Amino acid sequence: MTAHIDTPKKRSFRIWPIILIAIILVLGGTGYYFYGRYVSGNKWKPLLQARLKDLILKSTDSLYHIEYSDFDLNLATGDATLKDFKLLPDTNVYQKLVSKKKAPDNLFTLSVKELTIKNVGGKKAYKEKILNIDNITIDKPDLTIVNKRYSFNDTVKVGKPKAPYDIIKKVFKQLRIDSIALKDISLNYINKSNPVVKQNAIKHLDINISNIVIDSLSSKDTSRFYYTKGISFTLHDYRIATPDSMYYATLKQIFFSTAQRKIVLDKVAFTPRYSNDAFYKKTGLSGDIFTLKFKKIDINDIDLQRFLRDQKLYAGTMDLANASVNIYSNNAYKGKKSIKIGKDPQQALQKVALDMQLKRLNIKNTDIIYSETDATTLATGIISFKNTNGTILNVTNDADVKRVKPFMIAHIKTRFMGEAPLAVAFKFNLNDPKGAFNYAGELGAFDGKILDKLVKPLAMVHVQSADVQRLSFNIDANNYYGKGKVEFYYKNLNVQLLKKVEGKKELQNQGFISKLANSLVIDNDNPDTKGKFRPGPVDLQRESTVSFFSFLYKGILDGLKPSVGFDKKTENTVNKVVVKVSTLVDKFNKFKEDRKQRKQARQERRQARKDSLANIKKGA
């Protein structure tokens, strides 16, 4: 199974219901008839088998026939067992249908290890034309669907398909089944409609159907879902590669219930198939690598009728619990930079093939870590959000919904770097072609030293001290820019500037320059000792290769610089001074090194002369 499987044509879709109903009709409707007429001579079994096979041939226009190893019917208890059942297509008949332009687009092959029917009410079926069955169990059904689309099926006029009651009414006026259980289903879908054959498979699928009633009125019973009180699907241990083959999506279990109108996914993971280095080499592009793990995902209040009628997923809530989200980016990778325009989360949502709307997405106890390797330092900076909780409203890509509700709203609370409380709100314009959004929030008090994990690798700055009191931000952004403001309240800010030195693994201190920066440029407090507060305006052009998550923190960083007295004008001046001072410092350090080497050379020459004189004296 993939994210997209072609929908079979109506003329070929109803093979499985025909087979099931045919078996039920034959076993139930003829049981007592054959019992009364043939049981004494033990003639009923071959006649019943012959009628079953004949019914399958007729109902499928000779395209399919059945085989089985054993067939047993206990007329006293109403139990029946069919072992090693197979539904097989006749390829010669199929080719004739192709030549006549009457072939269906899908060809089925079905095998069932064992089909068991419990307590068929044969007497009531015979006398009252009401067939009651306690249970049908189908063990290990294996279905292969070969799809090849034919152009003549695109124009053929398909009449309204027969309702189930129209199929049974000549034999029964009512069919009632308490439960049907399909255990450990295997489905293999082979698409031959394109030059390259594609094959997808599902294994370990269970389906349970409860309380089926088919009669003249059941189709109008709004409490029922397709004549049942409920259908549930359980898929175990599912894994599939993404279309680009770069990730695996795995699930321990998927549960879907029509009665509860919900889907539950247990232990969901979306993981790269390769290491970080191998991933970049494989794609040839730089960019983000995602690792997503969710302990549980619940989708509730699904509108089943809309999903079946319009193929739109409308649901009330989705709950994500106990998740971990890891995003990694390597700016040091020399490959082509991937373009991020049009790929922000709200824009990616619009490109999902299935039209959908979630009224509310709840996030509970989730950890988010963004890490980025710097091209200069080759070190990795980390920004983390622990114990993240929040809600996202109006998660949709449906055009009708967006016309009425054009904004997706998110309210998030988390622990920045696992330490400081952070509340942030997002407002995404789902209709804006440039991906307009706003993010605003407030960060509580924390020890600024925890910023080292981020600013040391990415900005070559070591925070020696900083008592952060509060940081608030409000930024309007899109694919091309970010504009807004940052308000940064702090005391006792003291930093050390670092530099990358060739041949040295660790970043090296710029002691003298750091002293200049702390003394002449960086303000230790905001507000300062006179009560003057320095705001942090944000006006940042977004490079086309910068990802959404990277742009968020770079926008805030753009406002932090003027907050600490390091505005663009000062930054340009300081950069020039740093170059000059660095050159002078480098020259001074080189002079000291040269002087040291000259001194060492003089000492070596003196020692050589002493050794020479000593040798002469020994020789005399």
Side-chain angles (χ1 to χ4, degrees), residues 66 121 177-178 186 206-207 276 389 400 419 510 527 540:
I66 62 170
I177 307 171
D178 287 346
S186 294
D206 299 331
I207 299 177
N276 289 340
N389 296 274
D400 293 337
E419 300 287 341
Q510 299 192 70
L540 180 66

Side-chain angles (χ1 to χ4, degrees), residues 406-423:
F407 293 102
M408 180 170 69
I409 308 294
H411 296 280
I412 307 294
K413 289 186 177 181
T414 186
R415 303 292 295 184
F416 173 70
M417 293 299 198
E419 300 287 341
L422 170 64

Side-chain angles (χ1 to χ4, degrees), residues 205 231-238 250-258 260-268 294-302 313 315 317-321:
L205 172 65
I231 303 173
S232 67
F233 302 82
T234 306
L235 179 62
H236 306 274
D237 300 319
Y238 179 63
T250 58
L251 303 100
K252 183 65 178 176
Q253 181 174 286
I254 304 173
F255 172 78
F256 170 58
S257 169
T258 62
Q260 299 176 45
R261 295 170 58 209
K262 72 183 299 181
I263 298 174
V264 180
L265 300 91
D266 287 326
K267 294 183 179 178
V268 183
F294 304 91
K295 186 175 181 180
K296 191 176 183 181
I297 299 176
D298 286 353
I299 306 175
N300 302 290
D301 299 325
I302 299 170
L313 177 59
T317 62
M318 176 187 284
D319 296 325
L320 305 180

Side-chain angles (χ1 to χ4, degrees), residues 4 32 63 91 194 245 312 362 369 387 439 462 494:
H4 171 73
Y32 262 74
L63 180 56
T91 54
N194 301 305
S245 295
K312 293 183 177 183
N362 298 316
I369 298 175
N387 192 27
Y439 64 110
H462 164 52
N494 192 288

Side-chain angles (χ1 to χ4, degrees), residues 412-481:
I412 307 294
K413 289 186 177 181
T414 186
R415 303 292 295 184
F416 173 70
M417 293 299 198
E419 300 287 341
L422 170 64
V424 59
F426 291 88
K427 186 176 182 180
F428 299 95
N429 188 335
L430 301 177
N431 291 324
D432 188 83
K434 295 181 180 180
F437 67 96
N438 171 272
Y439 64 110
E442 184 166 303
L443 181 63
F446 65 96
D447 185 343
K449 291 179 182 178
I450 67 173
L451 293 172
D452 255 15
K453 292 181 180 180
L454 178 66
V455 299
K456 189 174 181 180
L458 301 182
M460 290 190 287
V461 173
H462 164 52
V463 180
Q464 293 182 305
S465 68
D467 299 327
V468 177
Q469 298 170 322
R470 179 166 61 88
L471 185 150
S472 62
F473 53 90
N474 192 326
I475 300 172
D476 292 316
N478 61 21
N479 292 153
Y480 304 99
Y481 69 84

Side-chain angles (χ1 to χ4, degrees), residues 474-476 482-486 536-539:
N474 192 326
I475 300 172
D476 292 316
K483 293 184 179 182
K485 66 176 181 178
V486 169
V538 177
D539 189 357

